[in-house]
Amino acid sequence: MKEGPNIARIAALIGDPARANMLTALMTGKALTASELAAEAGVTLQTASSHLTKLDQGGLLRQRKQGRHKYFALAHDDVASVLEALMGLAAGQGHLRTRIGPKDPELRRARVCYNHLAGDLGIQMYDSMTSRGFLKHDDKVLTLTDQGRNFITKFGIDLTGLDQQKAPMCLECLDWSERRSHLAGSLGRALLSHMEALGWVKRTQGSRVVSVTSKGQTAFAKAFPAQ
Amino acid sequence: MKEGPNIARIAALIGDPARANMLTALMTGKALTASELAAEAGVTLQTASSHLTKLDQGGLLRQRKQGRHKYFALAHDDVASVLEALMGLAAGQGHLRTRIGPKDPELRRARVCYNHLAGDLGIQMYDSMTSRGFLKHDDKVLTLTDQGRNFITKFGIDLTGLDQQKAPMCLECLDWSERRSHLAGSLGRALLSHMEALGWVKRTQGSRVVSVTSKGQTAFAKAFPAQ
DNA sequence: TTCATAGTTCGATCATAATCGAAGCGTGAA
DNA sequence: TTCACGCTTCGATTATGATCGAACTATGAA
């Protein structure tokens, strides 16, 4: 009988304040990195790492490694249901605690992700290029079509340099805030730096925010129209 | 930041195996004495007393003293909801080796779950409606088909009221005793209250048991035949 | 009264696990 | 290559709390 029933296991996982904070932060549906979750929970990265391992082994989280970041999200809707039920009960008891404010809307709009463009803008670019046949998505491999090469060259990017690199030119990168794909790889990086050179966007030092200039606003919409 | 959010407090209360056993035992809706709960949890009376004090202070239990006995019951339906959600999650993970489902056969047969019908009866209703094409399960979204709308209307439920509500009409709810789906959402609630109005079922006060009248027995089988 | 039963309180023991510093690992950028 | 960064692992400390024996209180029965 020392072997507790499984609901105790799960409840105990949620029952630690640090872990509860992390799970609460993940209820927005967005995936967050280990560092972000550590900050949310108010513990060091080491401690957070330990907690995240436990939550993952407990089946409450789904994780995805991307570059040197590790993104965590709730494993399933069931998990959110439990949290919601708990919050309902807690709220009914009047011990309500306000949640932390929403993320920076600027970050949501456009941000740097490994030197390429992510956020709303990144997705719009990806979608526009895909639907116009510039990018082709075959069997998990993303390639630039001939039409696409033409478009990119006209846009002012020299593809010969990129062709010679060993690193893949086109990669898909899953945008966790939007849960959609955007363009990574050397072409993704080249596009961002070129747009910066054109004065369309400005990268904010020490932040991941990419701000769009008024000139960039219209130029971008023209170059990458939503279909 | 040491001050944990309230959901951690509650989850931690449920997170102890002994307490989880007690709470599980109380899910039948019956009130149990401290000694009985101690036996259920497999701990001594002293330990049980300590746990029960904590559960009570945490607002999860309601207690009634009668003679030299002290009876405990779940404080509210919210508490049962949390436990049910936890059990659903635990069952979904396949980590279940402990007893599943309520011991009480009445509860297993039919019970209230968020104001809709759960247990054998709830599943039979769901299965019957699904296999007759009244409910359609597409891409995680459950919808009422035109045939279904027709059926429900003939059954005596006014759908216009439900259509106007923001809350989803059809939701799936995992039945923790049977590990099958049953119908939740506003339609699920409407069906239960309508069957109550028809005199098919009776909800037992202070308990989650739904008892089926003899009239309801046959009527239900006719309205929701197993295919 | 005396006894038995139901439950609580106290105190000591013991196990668990939360925490963080320090060091190590892997990836990306220059 | 070197450096920076994100994250993990290890180890030690520390706090918490689950557990039960023993003593105590309260209620009911004889």
Side-chain angles (χ1 to χ4, degrees):
Chain A
M1 190 50 91
K2 292 293 162 203
E3 178 83 18
N6 35 23
I7 87 161
R9 253 178 58 88
I10 295 177
L13 278 175
I14 308 175
D16 177 80
R19 287 194 293 259
N21 278 329
M22 293 176 175
L23 291 169
T24 307
L26 289 172
M27 279 204 65
T28 60
K30 282 192 199 173
L32 299 176
T33 65
S35 307
E36 288 168 333
L37 289 168
E40 283 284 345
V43 293
T44 62
L45 190 54
Q46 302 97 289
T47 305
S49 179
S50 157
H51 284 309
L52 289 168
T53 304
K54 284 172 189 171
L55 287 172
D56 181 55
Q57 284 174 350
L60 300 190
L61 293 185
R62 181 163 37 92
Q63 49 177 276
R64 181 194 163 97
K65 216 177 159 188
Q66 190 156 292
R68 46 186 174 181
H69 295 272
K70 206 164 174 182
Y71 285 92
F72 294 88
L74 298 185
H76 272 311
D77 286 349
D78 289 359
V79 180
S81 302
V82 170
L83 294 174
E84 226 159 291
L86 276 168
M87 286 175 160
L89 180 53
Q93 292 185 353
H95 292 272
L96 197 56
R97 196 180 103 137
T98 38
R99 262 255 40 82
I100 315 163
K103 282 285 175 202
D104 201 338
E106 274 193 305
L107 264 182
R108 214 181 209 318
R109 170 127 181 83
R111 65 176 177 276
V112 176
C113 169
Y114 300 113
N115 273 332
H116 63 258
L117 191 61
D120 276 348
L121 231 58
I123 288 168
Q124 189 183 332
M125 184 169 80
Y126 178 87
D127 286 350
S128 178
M129 289 181 68
T130 304
S131 61
R132 283 191 288 169
F134 297 164
L135 288 174
K136 207 168 142 194
H137 188 177
D138 258 344
D139 194 27
K140 292 190 177 180
V141 177
L142 193 67
T143 48
L144 190 65
T145 63
D146 288 344
Q147 282 179 42
R149 295 183 68 86
N150 190 20
F151 170 79
I152 292 292
T153 306
K154 274 191 186 164
F155 188 54
I157 293 177
D158 184 14
L159 278 170
T160 56
L162 299 185
D163 277 330
Q164 288 163 5
Q165 288 181 15
K166 258 194 309 189
M169 188 160 68
C170 297
L171 283 177
E172 242 185 335
C173 182
L174 189 62
D175 197 301
W176 274 98
S177 70
E178 308 298 330
R179 300 197 177 175
R180 305 266 306 274
S181 287
H182 59 245
L183 183 62
S186 59
L187 178 59
R189 288 195 292 277
L191 276 164
L192 177 58
S193 64
H194 191 59
M195 282 194 266
E196 207 178 350
L198 289 173
W200 290 12
V201 298
K202 250 193 264 182
R203 294 172 64 162
T204 312
Q205 191 67 15
S207 157
R208 299 165 65 207
V209 169
V210 172
S211 55
V212 185
T213 63
S214 58
K215 170 183 164 193
Q217 202 93 339
T218 49
F220 185 92
K222 197 177 162 193
F224 303 101
Q227 300 292 300
Chain B
M1 190 52 88
K2 291 294 161 204
E3 177 84 19
N6 34 25
I7 87 161
R9 254 178 56 89
I10 295 177
L13 278 174
I14 309 175
D16 177 78
R19 287 195 292 262
N21 278 330
M22 294 177 174
L23 291 169
T24 307
L26 289 172
M27 281 205 64
T28 61
K30 285 186 193 168
L32 298 175
T33 66
S35 307
E36 288 169 332
L37 289 168
E40 281 285 344
V43 294
T44 63
L45 189 53
Q46 303 98 289
T47 305
S49 178
S50 157
H51 285 310
L52 289 168
T53 304
K54 284 173 188 169
L55 287 172
D56 182 54
Q57 284 174 350
L60 300 190
L61 293 185
R62 182 163 35 93
Q63 49 178 278
R64 191 176 78 235
K65 216 176 161 188
Q66 190 161 295
R68 48 183 172 179
H69 294 272
K70 205 164 175 182
Y71 286 92
F72 293 88
L74 297 185
H76 215 30
D77 283 350
D78 288 0
V79 181
S81 301
V82 169
L83 295 174
E84 197 144 342
L86 275 168
M87 286 175 166
L89 179 53
Q93 290 187 352
H95 278 262
L96 74 160
R97 117 169 46 113
T98 38
R99 71 165 88 87
I100 47 161
K103 278 190 294 192
D104 200 329
E106 271 192 308
L107 264 182
R108 216 174 231 290
R109 171 129 180 83
R111 66 175 179 278
V112 177
C113 167
Y114 298 105
N115 271 332
H116 62 257
L117 191 62
D120 276 349
L121 231 60
I123 288 168
Q124 190 183 333
M125 184 169 81
Y126 177 87
D127 285 350
S128 177
M129 289 181 69
T130 304
S131 60
R132 283 190 288 168
F134 297 165
L135 288 174
K136 207 168 141 196
H137 188 175
D138 259 346
D139 194 29
K140 292 190 177 182
V141 177
L142 193 67
T143 48
L144 189 64
T145 62
D146 288 343
Q147 283 179 40
R149 296 183 68 86
N150 191 19
F151 170 80
I152 291 293
T153 307
K154 275 189 187 163
F155 189 54
I157 293 177
D158 186 13
L159 278 170
T160 56
L162 301 185
D163 277 330
Q164 289 163 4
Q165 289 181 16
K166 253 194 316 186
M169 188 160 67
C170 297
L171 283 176
E172 247 184 331
C173 182
L174 189 63
D175 196 298
W176 60 277
S177 68
E178 307 298 330
R179 280 185 270 156
R180 305 263 308 272
S181 286
H182 59 246
L183 182 63
S186 60
L187 179 59
R189 290 194 292 276
L191 275 165
L192 177 58
S193 64
H194 191 60
M195 284 194 265
E196 208 177 351
L198 288 174
W200 290 12
V201 299
K202 251 193 264 181
R203 292 171 64 162
T204 312
Q205 190 66 14
S207 157
R208 305 172 64 219
V209 169
V210 172
S211 54
V212 185
T213 63
S214 59
K215 170 183 161 192
Q217 202 92 341
T218 48
F220 185 91
K222 197 177 159 192
F224 302 101
Q227 297 295 299

